[in-house]
Amino acid sequence: AQIVAVIGRIASVLSVIMYVSYITQISNNLAGHPGTPWQPLAAFFNCVMWTAYGMLKPKKDWPIIVANVPGIFLAAITFVTSLI
């Protein structure tokens, strides 16, 4: 059980790092070099669903929630800025 907890924490950190990488695309979008909006839109819905899953479990699944909440916001910002 302890190894599962460690893997969950590592996976959460890696997920946050993955979504923080959107900051570069957001910057490029705002600089007039927009990327495609489809990948961040898919990531947004993916993160919403995983966060809902983690929140709605009888015992909240905090590694899943923590890993996906930043993705909701960063993917949404990336999507919106890719449309400008």
Side-chain angles (χ1 to χ4, degrees):
Q2 187 174 357
I3 190 78
V4 172
V6 170
I7 290 171
R9 287 185 182 99
I10 292 169
S12 293
V13 169
L14 292 173
S15 290
V16 170
I17 290 169
M18 178 177 63
Y19 294 121
V20 166
S21 70
Y22 275 135
I23 293 172
T24 303
Q25 186 176 348
I26 293 167
S27 177
N28 287 338
N29 291 343
L30 294 173
H33 308 288
T36 179
W38 305 118
Q39 197 280 334
L41 183 62
F44 170 80
F45 286 114
N46 178 63
C47 291
V48 166
M49 297 305 289
W50 276 113
T51 300
Y53 170 80
M55 293 291 289
L56 295 172
K57 287 181 70 174
K59 182 176 182 242
K60 291 190 183 348
D61 197 330
W62 288 108
I64 288 176
I65 296 166
V66 168
N68 286 283
V69 167
I72 292 171
F73 296 103
L74 290 168
I77 292 167
T78 305
F79 173 74
V80 169
T81 60
S82 72
L83 299 176
I84 341 184

